[in-house]
Amino acid sequence: ENNETSVYIKDLSEIEKLNDKNKVTILILSHIKITTIPIKIFKLFNLQILNLCANKITIIPVDIGILLNLEKLLLSHNKII
């Protein structure tokens, strides 16, 4: 049985649909022009892969450390200082 759940967000408003109890393991938030990592993401404790490529993110908050299951954080093509 495969418990992986992938979610591809194409628009920032779709993030509100994510449920804290959601068993999201892969979240793709690329190419949506976000400048910060949405707080809602830090409640997705099962997250293993987070793709934030091709946005306008400048800072990675320390809260990312809450995601203990995170194995891959993809951040290419952002504006990280």
Side-chain angles (χ1 to χ4, degrees):
E1 183 179 305
N2 186 351
N3 288 330
E4 279 190 3
T5 305
S6 298
V7 177
Y8 177 46
I9 304 270
K10 297 178 193 105
D11 185 85
L12 198 53
S13 62
E14 292 179 33
I15 290 173
E16 292 310 311
K17 294 179 192 169
L18 288 175
N19 183 323
D20 297 351
K21 295 174 186 164
N22 221 330
K23 296 196 174 178
V24 176
T25 56
I26 300 170
L27 182 59
I28 302 167
L29 291 167
S30 58
H31 297 90
I32 59 170
K33 300 178 181 169
I34 53 173
T35 56
T36 58
I37 300 174
I39 292 169
K40 192 113 177 148
I41 289 170
F42 303 123
K43 294 182 179 179
L44 300 173
F45 297 117
N46 293 306
L47 202 57
Q48 295 173 1
I49 299 171
L50 177 55
N51 182 341
L52 296 165
C53 294
N55 281 297
K56 297 179 179 187
I57 296 168
T58 55
I59 293 171
I60 306 305
V62 293
D63 294 341
I64 201 88
I66 289 171
L67 300 173
L68 299 178
N69 292 309
L70 193 64
E71 296 171 11
K72 239 184 221 180
L73 177 60
L74 306 168
L75 289 163
S76 64
H77 299 95
N78 273 287
K79 299 179 185 277
I80 297 166
I81 300 166

